[in-house]
């Protein structure tokens, strides 16, 4: 363990080794190396004069031993990316570090191995970040602790797109070799990222309360990264299909945006239905969709099953948008098909398979038809806003709150999914 202290004596005669000290092993600027500092001067008491030449008279005694665990961010990134020590050394040589520092290849190899040993020792603490804050073995400033945690849990979008919505099980882990080959991400990094997803899922899946808050509390992640992990947990729990060919154009950010809307509006936590009985087996607040809400969505079928309501709905939308849409004629022609598609998606969400296929259905029933007619995103937005709002003018329709809860989220998702 590295310690730092400055010792001084009274101003009587003192002796020190002339030119004593140790070779410099730090290849970076101060604060980035990992070797313990050596004494600048080893001071001897006068009684040791008989040890021979090399001793010089001095009037002060200074001893310094550094005690902070120093982190090289570049080497940490190489370790996180799954490179071996030899590969990391080769990459560092390629970066020109030997020319910059005047170090030898042997020193660089030793320095890299030293950092890797430190990271391996820290890894068990990174699995439960609060432990890193309270341990006393490694003296790491808070800002460095936050950096270590955040970067350890950061993931590659190419990787998360391959596993998003899949069960975080041994079966999926067996596919990591193929994912590594497909994405170009090292297998070691794929395993770290997958294990992080699984670890977070296992800790928070049965917790009540805000999913994002639970993740932040137990893993000390930034707000943005915690929200991304909330989306990963939400998709893994509900097993949404994301891998179909027609969904490949969608990014993780698109799915995470939709997950956040659904968590805010379609889960039990969205309506604050916390169980009064602490032993209740009620579904988890932010992880599971509100089954009662999904069951009630069948009531919306009246909007397309009742011909009079469907015709009136179309009339209201067309009247409001005439002269405002560049694709007005296409919208007017396809209104009933689009409306049936959106309402039927809602009515089928009582079945697990249809919940899993939600994004496939939205792309098939709405995104692709509009895209084939060359709707600009601005027209899609105008249509969805008016389509949602005009339902409030339908006499005899008694499910306004249910409709708003459904379409408020669906409208946001469709606008995000629609890449014109």
């Amino acid at each position: 363990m590295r310690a730092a202290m400055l010792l001084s004596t009274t101003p009587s005669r003192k002796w020190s080794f002339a030119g004593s000290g140790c070779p410099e092993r730090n290849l970076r600027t101060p604060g980035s190396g990992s070797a313990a500092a050596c004494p600048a001067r080893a001071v001897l008491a006068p009684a040791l004069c008989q040890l021979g030449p090399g001793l010089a008279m001095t009037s002060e005694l200074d001893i310094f031993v550094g005690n902070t665990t120093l982190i090289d961010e570049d080497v940490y990134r190489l370790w996180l990316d799954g490179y071996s020590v030899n590969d990391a050394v080769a990459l560092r040589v390629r970066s020109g570090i030997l020319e910059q520092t005047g170090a030898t290849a042997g020193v660089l190899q030793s320095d890299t191995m030293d950092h890797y040993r430190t990271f391996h020792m820290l890894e068990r603490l990174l699995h439960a970040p609060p432990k890193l804050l309270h341990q006393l073995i490694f003296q790491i400033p808070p800002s460095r602790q936050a950096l270590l945690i955040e970067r350890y849990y950061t993931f590659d979008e190419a990787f998360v797109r391959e596993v998003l919505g899949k069960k975080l099980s041994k079966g999926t882990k067996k596919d990591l070799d193929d994912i590594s080959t497909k994405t170009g991400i090292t297998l070691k990094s794929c395993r770290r990222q997958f294990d992080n997803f699984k670890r977070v899922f296992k800790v928070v899946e049965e917790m009540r309360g805000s999913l994002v808050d639970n993740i932040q509390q137990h893993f000390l992640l930034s707000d943005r990264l915690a929200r991304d992990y909330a989306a990963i947990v939400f998709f893994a729990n509900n097993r949404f299909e994301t891998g179909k060919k027609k969904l490949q154009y969608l990014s993780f950010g698109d799915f995470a945006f939709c997950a956040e809307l659904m968590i805010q509006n379609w889960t039990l936590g969205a309506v604050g239905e916390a169980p009064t009985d602490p032993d209740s087996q009620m579904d988890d607040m932010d992880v599971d969709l509100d089954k009662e809400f999904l069951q009630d969505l069948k009531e919306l079928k009246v909007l397309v099953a009742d011909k009079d309501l469907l015709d009136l709905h179309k009339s209201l939308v067309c009247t409001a948008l005439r002269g405002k849409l560049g694709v007005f004629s296409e919208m007017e022609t396809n209104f009933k098909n689009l409306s049936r598609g959106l309402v039927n998606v809602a009515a089928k969400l009582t079945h697990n398979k249809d919940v899993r296929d939600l994004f496939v259905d939205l792309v098939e029933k709405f995104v692709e038809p509009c895209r084939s007619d060359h709707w600009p995103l601005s027209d899609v937005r105008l249509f969805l806003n008016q389509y949602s709002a005009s339902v409030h003018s339908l006499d005899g329709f008694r499910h306004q709150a249910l409709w708003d809860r459904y379409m408020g989220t669906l409208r946001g998702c469709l606008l995000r999914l629609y890449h014109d």
Side-chain angles (χ1 to χ4, degrees):
M1 185 175 183
R2 300 166 189 161
M5 57 186 176
L6 182 64
L7 303 180
S8 59
T9 64
T10 56
S12 58
R13 287 199 314 171
K14 293 170 281 294
W15 298 84
S16 69
F17 281 115
S20 65
C22 70
E24 178 60 63
R25 293 181 57 223
N26 180 12
L27 299 183
R28 291 150 301 278
T29 56
S32 62
S34 60
C38 294
R41 275 194 304 275
V43 181
L44 301 180
L48 297 180
C49 291
Q50 66 268 25
L51 289 179
L55 292 176
M57 183 81 68
T58 182
S59 59
E60 61 180 295
L61 168 64
D62 292 327
I63 298 177
F64 177 81
V65 179
N67 103 345
T68 300
T69 301
L70 305 169
I71 305 297
D72 186 298
E73 296 181 30
D74 293 333
V75 181
Y76 187 50
R77 184 176 65 252
L78 294 170
W79 180 73
L80 290 176
D81 287 344
Y83 291 105
S84 66
V85 170
N86 289 337
D87 289 339
V89 169
L91 289 168
R92 297 184 76 190
V93 169
R94 209 172 300 162
S95 73
I97 193 170
L98 294 183
E99 292 78 10
Q100 296 166 16
T101 62
T104 65
V107 170
L108 182 65
Q109 178 88 10
S110 177
D111 179 75
T112 305
M113 290 178 65
D114 186 38
H115 281 296
Y116 267 52
R117 281 192 293 266
T118 299
F119 300 147
H120 283 302
M121 289 187 288
L122 285 169
E123 188 164 20
R124 64 182 179 81
L125 298 171
L126 290 168
H127 290 171
K131 291 183 178 180
L132 180 63
L133 271 62
H134 298 107
Q135 56 79 38
L136 300 176
I137 298 174
F138 301 96
Q139 301 299 312
I140 305 174
S143 61
R144 284 291 184 182
Q145 292 177 347
L147 179 144
L148 287 170
I149 295 167
E150 189 80 0
R151 293 195 179 175
Y152 188 80
Y153 283 90
T154 298
F155 51 83
D156 294 293
E157 177 157 334
F159 176 76
V160 74
R161 275 296 281 117
E162 293 296 325
V163 301
L164 187 65
K166 293 182 179 179
K167 191 173 183 180
L168 300 174
S169 64
K170 291 181 179 178
T172 303
K173 194 169 185 177
K174 290 178 181 178
D175 297 332
L176 295 185
D177 284 309
D178 294 334
I179 294 174
S180 174
T181 301
K182 180 179 179 180
T183 61
I185 300 168
T186 64
L187 180 59
K188 187 173 181 180
S189 182
C190 287
R191 287 173 176 164
R192 173 184 61 82
Q193 295 178 58
F194 181 84
D195 288 342
N196 284 346
F197 296 163
K198 186 175 180 179
R199 185 180 307 111
V200 174
F201 181 89
K202 288 294 184 183
V203 168
V204 303
E205 66 172 328
E206 295 182 357
M207 288 184 176
R208 299 190 179 102
S210 166
L211 185 54
V212 174
D213 289 348
N214 289 336
I215 292 172
Q216 285 186 301
Q217 178 183 349
H218 289 83
F219 292 92
L220 310 180
L221 305 182
S222 66
D223 181 71
R224 182 63 269 162
L225 190 55
R227 291 180 185 279
D228 286 343
Y229 268 89
I232 292 167
V233 170
F234 184 70
F235 267 64
N237 185 70
N238 293 285
R239 305 287 302 282
F240 291 110
E241 173 62 58
T242 66
K244 290 284 180 69
K245 185 176 180 180
K246 63 181 56 189
L247 300 179
Q248 289 305 303
Y249 77 97
L250 296 171
S251 67
F252 168 72
D254 295 330
F255 286 117
F257 179 86
C258 295
E260 189 165 353
L261 287 179
M262 287 188 281
I263 290 171
Q264 290 172 353
N265 298 291
W266 287 5
T267 62
L268 286 171
V271 291
E273 295 180 4
T276 54
D277 180 2
D279 298 322
S280 170
Q281 298 301 308
M282 181 177 283
D283 292 333
D284 306 311
M285 299 298 290
D286 268 3
V287 178
D288 290 320
L289 293 168
D290 182 351
K291 291 182 173 59
E292 184 176 343
F293 163 67
L294 299 182
Q295 192 73 28
D296 290 343
L297 288 176
K298 292 189 295 184
E299 301 295 336
L300 300 182
K301 282 207 74 172
V302 67
L303 287 171
V304 294
D306 186 317
K307 186 178 182 303
D308 292 337
L309 274 180
L310 180 58
D311 288 341
L312 181 56
H313 191 189
K314 177 181 177 180
S315 176
L316 290 170
V317 173
C318 289
T319 299
L321 295 180
R322 184 172 279 107
K324 297 179 181 178
L325 287 187
V327 291
F328 180 83
S329 60
E330 291 85 351
M331 181 276 294
E332 187 175 30
T333 301
N334 294 325
F335 178 89
K336 291 184 179 180
N337 286 335
L338 293 174
S339 186
R340 287 191 182 99
L342 295 177
V343 172
N344 287 336
V345 166
K348 294 192 304 179
L349 290 178
T350 52
H351 306 291
N352 289 336
K353 181 183 182 304
D354 292 306
V355 170
R356 288 197 294 270
D357 288 340
L358 173 63
F359 293 96
V360 177
D361 289 339
L362 292 179
V363 170
E364 287 182 349
K365 304 298 184 185
F366 185 85
V367 173
E368 289 181 342
C370 292
R371 188 185 290 152
S372 67
D373 283 338
H374 308 292
W375 287 41
L377 181 59
S378 56
D379 280 4
V380 173
R381 181 176 288 104
L382 282 172
F383 170 76
L384 288 173
N385 289 344
Q386 191 57 46
Y387 176 79
S388 302
S390 60
V391 167
H392 291 275
S393 300
L394 295 177
D395 294 335
F397 183 70
R398 298 181 176 83
H399 308 289
Q400 307 288 357
L402 180 66
W403 173 256
D404 288 343
R405 187 179 177 187
Y406 172 67
M407 276 306 299
T409 294
L410 202 71
R411 181 173 66 247
C413 289
L414 288 171
L415 291 172
R416 184 67 186 236
L417 300 179
Y418 192 82
H419 295 194
D420 58 341

